[in-house]
Amino acid sequence: MSENKIPYKIYLTEDEMPKAWYNLRADMKNKPAPLLNPGTGQPLTAEELSPIFCEELVQQELDETTPFIDIPTEIRDFYKMYRPSPLVRAYCLEEKLQTPAKIYYKFEGNNTSGSHKLNSAIAQAYYAKKQGLKGVTTETGAGQWGTALSMACSYFELDCKVYMVKVSYEQKPFRREVMRTYGASVVPSPSETTEVGRKILAEHPGTTGSLGCAISEAVEVATKNPGYRYVLGSVLNQVLLHQSVIGLETKAALDKYGIKPDMIIGCAGGGSNLGGLIAPFMGEKLRGEADYQIIAVEPASCPSFTRGTFAYDFCDTGMICPLAKMYTLGSGFIPSPNHAGGLRFHGMSTTLSQLYHDGFMEARSVEQTSVFDAAEQFARVEGILPAPESSHAIRVAIDEAMKCKETGEEKTIVFGLTGTGYFDLVAYEKYHEGLMTDEIPTDEQLAASFAKLPKI
Amino acid sequence: MSENKIPYKIYLTEDEMPKAWYNLRADMKNKPAPLLNPGTGQPLTAEELSPIFCEELVQQELDETTPFIDIPTEIRDFYKMYRPSPLVRAYCLEEKLQTPAKIYYKFEGNNTSGSHKLNSAIAQAYYAKKQGLKGVTTETGAGQWGTALSMACSYFELDCKVYMVKVSYEQKPFRREVMRTYGASVVPSPSETTEVGRKILAEHPGTTGSLGCAISEAVEVATKNPGYRYVLGSVLNQVLLHQSVIGLETKAALDKYGIKPDMIIGCAGGGSNLGGLIAPFMGEKLRGEADYQIIAVEPASCPSFTRGTFAYDFCDTGMICPLAKMYTLGSGFIPSPNHAGGLRFHGMSTTLSQLYHDGFMEARSVEQTSVFDAAEQFARVEGILPAPESSHAIRVAIDEAMKCKETGEEKTIVFGLTGTGYFDLVAYEKYHEGLMTDEIPTDEQLAASFAKLPKI
């Protein structure tokens, strides 16, 4: 293996790192449908979004035409602390599988937040600071996004209030401590600190909370406190824009060695990682300059793309957020307990939804136990303990590499390894003990959920 | 900051990575005193060590004259999966401290074991495989070493039996799960699987175990089962040899940019990280080619260098291991509960002990609460959540940088950041809650412990 010309890890130099984010929407003929005001049914204006998001982020959210948006120097400096992330040639996995396929993965887990979420957190914190705000609020479930935002706010000395779903707050004390180390205040949701929280607690005294409720609390605090705004870690166009740094680095690293991938694989929850990873490749595809097989991987227990419907729906279970046209299982759909917390979202980025609808990408759903089989197989030969979310992409990458073994094709496979699994060891333990199950929604369950979609 | 010529992170290319380990003892005039057989009081021979360690490792343990020992290709290939590790310029910390000092740290935490321990684990596993052995046994306390060894054994498909101190086994289930993911069998010690374990359980039915007992069990299993050997993660000369890869990479990265450090700082438990980091710099110092200020940092609760005595002592609390001449607090010394588990060792590498005794390095002891102050300060500006062990070095690096601020000196400080703190969040929680204490041994306690040293 040592004689190989392509190193195990391709690192860009700091000079080679992207200086602008790529806005995929600029190259889309069919633009994603606009967010609608749930009260009026009309597209949301910049004015309506400004009390919730920073001004520059509102502009980025609505900008469908500018292909490249400069990354401010302050953000590029922060990126240099943990980026460029390595593009790794999975020589050991290839050897283990005895496949003629060439496998690469872009590893985003080498930072304390443990995932790619930091790429957008630092951007959102920067614009909040630039606008002279005091702080930001957000919700977090499993805690990856909350951790990333805490790190970003600490760097810019912004106040950071995180509403953490109560059951996670209690079950994941380590995540909470990391956020506290970075100076964030972490509140279990529902809480007594908001009107909506008090209302929910009065109605359901013993509730362990939900993401929908935590979003409602975070939005309330942001809109009621002068100098605060609300921030979100996925789904939004602005988040996909920031995450394009993943794909841009990946493409630059491949280009450096003259490598053209045949397929690009990423896990998909709200779409932040997948949208970022595929951005420049999808851009070439949309402009007719190149062709790639692009595969979104989702859990069989929460199959938005593969079994959802393309319709306007609420982004939150509390039905207070804007309506988005997307592949959705219905905002009332509750996925079965699934350890890939980052993929348990009923909907999907509007941009990715439109691209999928127009046939530019495909999607697969995979079952949790087979995902952990792949995770363990990967960890043992490539060293890295992967997050359950990332392992969805590993599963399909291995499946595709094994197909190559049958056909003899030397395909080049690139997948996104979004993060590490250090905080997911309860799930690994269940897997080792044989206690992990897969619960897939029935057609009847989905039909009942679709019936409750808002009539637009 | 962006205009700076020295990047945030200096990465060597794969071609620039070390091809041989550096054996510091070859340049020492006063060699470390030999290990003694506790029964005979005579220096241990290769023959006596062979039933415990692999043959090539016995040779490395006893070799005091060969300055460079080639790193086998198989190990270099494994190193490429997670090395070179970055040498980071701490621009953000310098800015925060407003110091004229230039601070660099060598970060060894970017692998799933979370620390530098993997550098020696893979070497020891390789030689075991090469000798045709079935497997290896070891003990682990906090779990960093056990994790590293599990990863290494999984790569070479060797059986790996880890005896984990029972209290850690119960309190750190996540560490246990990582090891299981890599296929290791993890046994809480004391256990019913060994004679010594059964004896201890009969005498102390409710015991939660100790490192001394876990060592005894691991050694018993290695010597009684054909095809097994025992491996150890620190203290030994062979371990310092493998860890020299840290210092060699650091020096190559500095040389690439023409940087000459003024001081090198590392935390010291058994000496594996410190000995590796300083190796090539100490070599230059011993040969009279250059001078560096070299500082070992240890916890005030376990101050082997700063308050220990230089004498022959047992390496384990069970008094079954060889006698080593080292700075020791006495093998019966029990340090107060201290969260830097990796630094809770009563003794010290014989090589580092001799160098310290001969005045080639200095030592400082620091209190735990001030260590966590430094850890949090570092995390907030440099992003990385450091392990408590590593944070001892951060503490002294910050202290030295603040001295430079007073004097106006532009010193270049290099310190070793051995690992990440993802599995140490119980300690961070105590720190945040104000429940962390420092317990420093009294002179009377140490005198009583010294009185029990073996008479050699």
Side-chain angles (χ1 to χ4, degrees):
Chain A
M1 275 191 275
S2 281
E3 280 67 48
N4 240 300
K5 272 185 192 170
I6 294 165
Y8 279 63
K9 298 191 293 304
I10 306 177
Y11 279 110
L12 301 177
T13 66
E14 287 181 5
D15 290 342
E16 292 168 333
M17 285 171 66
K19 294 175 181 59
W21 292 303
Y22 169 57
N23 183 7
L24 183 53
R25 286 165 293 167
D27 283 312
M28 289 169 71
K29 250 187 222 168
N30 295 335
K31 307 289 183 193
L35 297 175
L36 301 185
N37 179 325
T40 64
Q42 293 302 307
L44 277 167
T45 62
E47 227 172 3
E48 288 173 303
L49 285 169
S50 291
I52 306 171
F53 300 125
C54 299
E55 282 158 32
E56 287 213 49
L57 292 170
V58 169
Q59 283 176 33
Q60 292 180 1
E61 190 61 33
L62 299 177
D63 186 340
E64 295 185 332
T65 53
T66 314
F68 287 96
I69 293 175
D70 283 346
I71 307 175
T73 308
E74 292 83 349
I75 297 175
R76 285 171 52 203
D77 277 343
F78 187 89
Y79 278 170
K80 286 176 192 165
M81 287 211 300
Y82 71 101
R83 310 197 66 82
S85 71
L87 180 71
V88 186
R89 173 75 183 266
Y91 284 120
C92 299
L93 181 62
E94 292 171 19
E95 170 94 10
K96 185 77 185 175
L97 300 177
Q98 290 287 305
T99 173
K102 294 171 183 65
I103 309 175
Y104 293 84
Y105 56 93
K106 180 69 169 170
F107 180 41
E108 292 287 320
N110 269 352
N111 70 72
T112 286
S113 82
S115 83
H116 67 293
K117 294 284 181 187
L118 197 50
N119 300 330
S120 183
I122 192 64
Q124 296 192 49
Y126 167 75
Y127 290 116
K129 185 72 180 180
K130 198 180 160 202
Q131 195 172 319
L133 298 176
K134 283 188 210 155
V136 293
T137 70
T138 200
E139 78 291 332
T140 201
Q144 281 186 332
W145 166 246
T147 307
L149 190 68
S150 305
M151 291 175 68
C153 287
S154 152
Y155 184 77
F156 285 124
E157 297 183 342
L158 273 175
D159 187 35
C160 179
K161 292 187 201 297
V162 180
Y163 284 84
M164 186 169 186
V165 178
K166 191 181 270 174
V167 61
S168 296
Y169 182 90
E170 285 162 1
Q171 286 179 354
K172 297 203 160 189
F174 289 178
R175 275 282 183 203
R176 186 183 71 207
E177 283 317 314
V178 180
M179 290 186 257
R180 286 174 75 190
T181 301
Y182 287 93
S185 70
V186 188
V187 182
S189 168
S191 75
E192 296 282 351
T193 66
T194 63
E195 249 178 58
V196 63
R198 288 189 292 273
K199 188 163 168 261
I200 291 168
L201 282 172
E203 284 170 14
H204 311 277
T207 180
T208 56
S210 72
L211 213 49
C213 170
I215 293 176
S216 307
E217 290 202 85
V219 171
E220 179 184 320
V221 172
T223 48
K224 283 196 177 167
N225 287 281
Y228 281 80
R229 290 295 184 282
Y230 169 71
V231 296
L232 186 65
S234 191
V235 184
L236 296 174
N237 291 318
Q238 58 186 271
V239 177
L240 265 71
L241 175 73
H242 306 147
Q243 295 294 358
S244 70
V245 70
I246 305 173
L248 292 165
E249 277 188 12
T250 302
K251 185 144 196 327
L254 291 170
D255 286 350
K256 206 168 163 173
Y257 287 86
I259 304 158
K260 194 187 162 294
D262 295 294
M263 64 177 74
I264 299 149
I265 301 168
C267 62
S272 71
N273 150 67
L274 181 70
L277 174 67
I278 66 173
F281 303 99
M282 182 61 87
E284 288 191 327
K285 194 166 173 170
L286 290 171
R287 296 190 303 270
E289 297 165 7
D291 197 20
Y292 304 99
Q293 187 180 7
I294 295 174
I295 308 174
V297 190
E298 56 188 15
S301 59
C302 193
S304 323
F305 271 139
T306 49
R307 296 178 65 203
T309 183
F310 190 42
Y312 263 108
D313 193 10
F314 289 96
C315 289
D316 62 325
T317 46
M319 300 192 188
I320 59 162
C321 284
L323 292 165
K325 191 169 181 193
M326 58 188 176
Y327 278 85
T328 179
L329 300 165
S331 68
F333 176 78
I334 298 178
S336 77
N338 180 313
H339 296 291
L343 305 181
R344 291 185 68 200
F345 181 61
H346 67 277
M348 184 58 66
S349 141
T350 57
T351 299
L352 294 181
S353 292
Q354 188 66 47
L355 290 165
Y356 179 66
H357 190 68
D358 292 342
F360 288 103
M361 51 190 273
E362 53 193 278
R364 310 238 177 112
S365 75
V366 289
E367 297 188 9
Q368 181 166 241
T369 43
S370 83
V371 165
F372 275 81
D373 289 343
E376 187 164 283
Q377 192 174 9
F378 179 83
R380 289 191 181 186
V381 291
E382 289 289 323
I384 299 164
L385 184 79
E389 290 85 354
S390 325
S391 304
H392 285 69
I394 298 175
R395 172 73 276 161
V396 171
I398 290 178
D399 291 346
E400 290 295 324
M402 294 310 285
K403 278 188 209 163
C404 287
K405 188 175 176 175
E406 276 175 36
T407 62
E409 287 174 291
E410 293 186 20
K411 284 190 182 171
T412 295
I413 299 170
V414 173
F415 72 90
L417 191 71
T418 55
T420 50
Y422 302 126
F423 294 96
D424 301 291
L425 286 158
V426 169
Y428 274 94
E429 185 174 14
K430 274 200 180 164
Y431 171 71
H432 294 142
E433 301 289 350
L435 299 174
M436 184 167 275
T437 55
D438 281 298
E439 282 164 55
I440 298 165
T442 63
D443 289 339
E444 290 69 28
Q445 282 170 326
L446 291 183
S449 183
F450 295 154
K452 292 181 200 151
L453 284 171
K455 310 287 174 256
I456 301 287
Chain B
M1 274 191 275
S2 281
E3 282 67 46
N4 240 299
K5 273 185 190 169
I6 294 165
Y8 280 64
K9 299 191 292 305
I10 307 177
Y11 279 109
L12 301 176
T13 65
E14 287 182 3
D15 289 341
E16 293 167 332
M17 286 171 66
K19 294 177 181 61
W21 293 302
Y22 169 57
N23 183 9
L24 183 53
R25 288 166 293 168
D27 283 311
M28 289 169 71
K29 249 186 220 167
N30 295 334
K31 306 290 184 194
L35 297 175
L36 302 186
N37 179 323
T40 65
Q42 294 301 307
L44 277 167
T45 61
E47 226 173 2
E48 288 173 304
L49 285 170
S50 291
I52 306 172
F53 301 124
C54 300
E55 283 157 33
E56 287 212 51
L57 292 170
V58 169
Q59 283 175 34
Q60 292 180 359
E61 190 62 33
L62 299 177
D63 187 340
E64 296 184 333
T65 53
T66 314
F68 287 96
I69 293 175
D70 284 346
I71 307 175
T73 308
E74 292 83 349
I75 297 175
R76 285 170 53 203
D77 277 341
F78 187 89
Y79 278 170
K80 286 177 193 165
M81 286 209 302
Y82 70 102
R83 308 197 68 81
S85 71
L87 180 71
V88 186
R89 173 73 182 267
Y91 283 120
C92 299
L93 181 62
E94 292 172 17
E95 170 95 9
K96 184 79 185 172
L97 300 177
Q98 289 287 303
T99 174
K102 295 170 182 66
I103 310 174
Y104 294 84
Y105 56 92
K106 180 70 169 169
F107 180 41
E108 292 286 321
N110 269 354
N111 69 73
T112 287
S113 81
S115 83
H116 66 293
K117 294 285 181 187
L118 197 51
N119 301 330
S120 183
I122 192 64
Q124 296 192 49
Y126 167 76
Y127 290 116
K129 185 73 180 179
K130 198 179 160 200
Q131 195 172 319
L133 297 177
K134 282 188 212 157
V136 293
T137 70
T138 200
E139 77 292 333
T140 200
Q144 280 187 332
W145 167 246
T147 307
L149 190 68
S150 304
M151 291 174 68
C153 286
S154 151
Y155 184 77
F156 285 125
E157 296 182 343
L158 273 174
D159 188 35
C160 180
K161 291 186 201 299
V162 180
Y163 284 84
M164 186 170 188
V165 178
K166 192 182 270 175
V167 62
S168 296
Y169 182 90
E170 284 163 2
Q171 287 180 354
K172 298 202 159 190
F174 288 179
R175 275 281 183 204
R176 186 184 72 209
E177 283 317 313
V178 180
M179 291 186 257
R180 285 173 76 189
T181 301
Y182 287 93
S185 70
V186 188
V187 182
S189 166
S191 74
E192 296 283 350
T193 66
T194 64
E195 249 177 58
V196 63
R198 287 189 292 273
K199 187 161 168 263
I200 291 168
L201 282 172
E203 285 170 14
H204 311 276
T207 181
T208 54
S210 72
L211 212 50
C213 168
I215 292 176
S216 307
E217 291 202 85
V219 172
E220 180 184 321
V221 172
T223 48
K224 283 196 176 165
N225 287 280
Y228 282 80
R229 289 295 184 283
Y230 169 71
V231 296
L232 187 64
S234 190
V235 184
L236 297 173
N237 291 317
Q238 57 186 274
V239 177
L240 265 72
L241 175 73
H242 307 147
Q243 294 295 357
S244 70
V245 71
I246 304 174
L248 292 165
E249 278 188 11
T250 302
K251 189 150 192 325
L254 291 169
D255 287 349
K256 205 167 164 175
Y257 287 86
I259 304 158
K260 192 187 163 296
D262 295 294
M263 63 176 75
I264 299 147
I265 302 167
C267 62
S272 70
N273 148 68
L274 181 71
L277 174 67
I278 67 173
F281 303 99
M282 183 62 87
E284 287 191 326
K285 194 166 173 171
L286 290 170
R287 296 189 304 268
E289 296 165 6
D291 197 18
Y292 304 98
Q293 188 180 5
I294 295 174
I295 308 174
V297 190
E298 55 187 16
S301 58
C302 194
S304 322
F305 271 140
T306 50
R307 296 177 66 201
T309 185
F310 189 45
Y312 264 107
D313 193 9
F314 289 96
C315 289
D316 63 324
T317 46
M319 300 192 189
I320 58 161
C321 284
L323 292 164
K325 191 170 180 193
M326 58 186 176
Y327 278 85
T328 179
L329 300 165
S331 69
F333 176 78
I334 298 178
S336 77
N338 180 314
H339 297 291
L343 305 181
R344 291 185 69 201
F345 181 61
H346 67 277
M348 183 58 65
S349 140
T350 59
T351 298
L352 294 181
S353 293
Q354 189 65 48
L355 289 166
Y356 179 66
H357 190 69
D358 292 342
F360 289 104
M361 51 189 273
E362 52 193 277
R364 307 239 177 110
S365 75
V366 289
E367 297 188 9
Q368 182 167 239
T369 43
S370 83
V371 165
F372 275 82
D373 289 343
E376 189 164 280
Q377 193 173 7
F378 178 84
R380 289 190 182 188
V381 291
E382 289 289 323
I384 298 165
L385 184 80
E389 290 83 355
S390 325
S391 303
H392 285 69
I394 298 175
R395 172 75 275 163
V396 171
I398 290 178
D399 291 346
E400 290 295 324
M402 294 311 284
K403 279 187 207 163
C404 288
K405 188 175 176 175
E406 276 175 37
T407 63
E409 288 173 291
E410 293 186 19
K411 284 188 182 172
T412 296
I413 300 169
V414 173
F415 72 89
L417 190 72
T418 55
T420 49
Y422 302 125
F423 294 97
D424 301 291
L425 286 159
V426 170
Y428 274 94
E429 184 174 14
K430 274 199 180 166
Y431 171 72
H432 294 142
E433 301 288 351
L435 300 173
M436 184 167 276
T437 56
D438 280 299
E439 281 163 57
I440 300 166
T442 63
D443 289 340
E444 291 70 28
Q445 281 171 325
L446 292 183
S449 183
F450 295 154
K452 292 181 201 152
L453 285 169
K455 309 288 176 254
I456 299 290

